[in-house]
Amino acid sequence: MNGGGGPRAFWERERGSALRPTVPTGAPEHDARAPRRPTGAPTLGPAAAPRPVGPPPRVGGAVAALVVALLTLVVPITGIALGQFYFLLLANVPGIGLGVIALVKIPDTAEVERFLRYTWACNFAYIAVSAVLLAAFALLMAIVLGLAA
C-alpha cells in the first residue's frame, strides 16, 4: 500500500492530499528534471491556517432531528382538525425546543452532540407514547363497536 488506493492509505493520507500515481521502483518518472518535494510537506492551504481541533458539529443531524420533531406536530394538528383540542397536550414541545437549541449551539461540538441526543430521545419517546395511545384508542373503539370477542 505504498501510496496506493487501499482503505488504510486513504485514512493515513494527509488532509487535502490527492491520490498520487505510484511509480515502480527503478522506473524513471515522467519528468526527471522536476524538483522533488518532501513527502511530509503539506500540499494545500497556507501554512499559517489553523487546523480544526475536532470534528465539525453535526449540523445535518441537528436539522434532521428538528425536522422529525416538527413532523410530530401532525398528531396534534390532526386532533385539532377533528375537533379534539386536548390533542394539543400531545405536542412535542421539548423535542422542538431542544432541536432549536442544538442548531443555535453550532460552533460548540460537544453541546451540539448533547442537545442532538436529547432531541432524538424526545422524538423517540413521543413516537412511542403516540403509538401506545393509538393502540389504546383502537382497542377502545373495537370494544365499543363490539368487534372484539
Side-chain angles (χ1 to χ4, degrees):
M1 288 210 189
N2 296 331
R8 185 177 186 113
F10 174 79
W11 291 109
E12 290 177 353
R13 202 171 327 150
E14 288 184 21
R15 187 174 190 199
S17 64
L19 187 62
R20 296 178 188 93
T22 57
V23 178
T25 309
E29 291 188 28
H30 296 296
D31 189 8
R33 291 173 285 156
R36 290 187 151 191
R37 281 192 341 214
T39 57
T43 57
L44 296 175
R51 290 189 173 229
V53 177
R58 293 180 23 189
V59 178
V63 170
L66 182 60
V67 167
V68 170
L70 289 173
L71 286 176
T72 60
L73 288 176
V74 170
V75 173
I77 290 172
T78 305
I80 291 172
L82 295 174
Q84 308 299 322
F85 291 102
Y86 58 87
F87 269 83
L88 277 176
L89 297 173
L90 295 177
N92 189 7
V93 176
I96 294 170
L98 291 169
V100 170
I101 292 172
L103 285 175
V104 169
K105 302 271 185 183
I106 287 291
D108 189 7
T109 305
E111 290 292 311
V112 170
E113 290 292 326
R114 184 174 67 143
F115 284 106
L116 186 60
R117 283 193 307 267
Y118 294 162
T119 304
W120 280 116
C122 285
N123 289 342
F124 289 139
Y126 177 81
I127 292 169
V129 167
S130 295
V132 167
L133 289 176
L134 180 66
F137 180 73
L139 181 63
L140 181 66
M141 286 295 114
I143 291 172
V144 168
L145 295 175
L147 299 177

